[in-house]
Amino acid sequence: MNATLEDGGSSQGIWSTDPAITAAVHMPIFEKHFDPDLPLVDADCGNGAQTVFLAGRFRPCVGIDRSAAVLEQARTAVGEGEGGRSAPDFRQLDAADPDAMRGLHDELGDANVYLRGVLGRSGPAGRARVAESVAALVGERGRAFVVEAAPEASAALAQGAGAAHPAELPGPLDTPGLSDLPHMSNAPRDHTGPGAPQGPAGEPAEPAEPAGPFVAAGLRVLAGGSLPLSTTDFEPDGSRLDLPSNWLVVGRGE
């Protein structure tokens, strides 16, 4: 996932990690639920690095992003299959446009979906549209793997940056410049108790897990859990900065 900005541009952010520590970590989880004979759609694919990795397992593999500029970068970096690699198909489409995703489903049929960090930078209406898009893409046989930074990730970044609340950060977790914030070695990782950032009516500032929009869109949660989500940043001791995340597999049927 890369941050797709409101003006249609895209930035790499702190999630633009090597597939070896991202999609390769996620694949053993979701391939138990995905039908390997179905296409795969990498939603908000950004620079296409994860898409290329996924194309080695799922064919056809389509990376979608609404930024023409970042897709051109992805195509250039991939070399459109040079060197015998499986070449994904990159399309300029918006994952938050259910009508466009229904059109893609008409072309591909039921598909699996890889969705990394897309909900976290969308408002409630945006999350609902993304979930509707995913429901359109998976149809009856497809499944979606959804992974999002956990609420405590924002709180930890805010703490490390000296901010009183995650809202004081310069933007979503993948906003340019967050990798320049102070490192998180001394930041608390658990912000679920007293003093945690609060939203309206005293509820947590972010949902503890991303299931709600997908359930509302008619999908079932088939599996779920937590795991570290690697970033491009590093701790002072040289170890990679990993933040907590929650994952789901959603779809229809059993």
Side-chain angles (χ1 to χ4, degrees):
M1 180 278 298
N2 296 309
T4 303
L5 307 179
E6 290 185 359
D7 62 3
S10 184
S11 71
Q12 300 304 311
I14 61 174
W15 300 142
S16 187
T17 47
D18 190 298
I21 59 172
T22 309
V25 174
H26 297 150
M27 184 175 286
I29 299 172
F30 64 68
E31 67 180 353
K32 295 182 291 187
H33 302 276
F34 283 15
D35 183 337
D37 295 327
L38 294 183
L40 184 139
V41 176
D42 182 12
D44 271 22
C45 64
N47 67 6
Q50 313 304 321
T51 322
V52 174
F53 177 86
L54 295 167
R57 179 70 174 84
F58 297 91
R59 301 176 186 173
C61 183
V62 180
I64 64 170
D65 199 291
R66 67 177 181 174
S67 167
V70 78
L71 288 176
E72 185 58 33
Q73 295 172 10
R75 294 186 183 104
T76 300
V78 169
E80 297 290 13
E82 292 178 4
R85 294 175 298 181
S86 299
D89 181 11
F90 292 109
R91 309 279 188 93
Q92 186 180 1
L93 294 169
D94 188 348
D97 182 347
D99 287 339
M101 295 305 100
R102 281 187 277 269
L104 186 59
H105 178 269
D106 289 344
E107 177 185 345
L108 297 176
D110 290 357
N112 298 310
V113 180
Y114 183 65
L115 193 79
R116 181 171 65 107
V118 178
L119 297 183
R121 53 189 176 76
S122 304
R127 289 192 287 271
R129 289 193 298 271
V130 170
E132 185 181 349
S133 292
V134 169
L137 285 169
V138 300
E140 296 298 323
R141 300 171 55 209
R143 302 285 186 266
F145 178 77
V146 182
V147 59
E148 292 288 330
E152 56 266 33
S154 291
L157 283 171
Q159 179 78 12
H165 189 279
E168 295 181 14
L169 290 170
L173 292 180
D174 48 11
T175 296
L178 282 188
S179 59
D180 297 326
L181 294 174
H183 292 278
M184 301 298 110
S185 293
N186 298 318
R189 289 299 196 257
D190 183 2
H191 289 258
T192 57
Q198 300 291 303
E203 297 185 355
E206 296 182 39
E209 44 79 20
F214 298 99
V215 173
L219 299 178
R220 296 178 56 216
V221 176
L222 306 175
S226 301
L227 79 171
L229 189 61
S230 295
T231 76
T232 57
D233 209 353
F234 293 86
E235 300 278 14
D237 64 2
S239 61
R240 188 176 293 276
L241 174 61
D242 293 334
L243 294 173
S245 72
N246 298 314
W247 63 265
L248 298 173
V249 175
V250 297
R252 294 186 175 90
E254 298 299 327

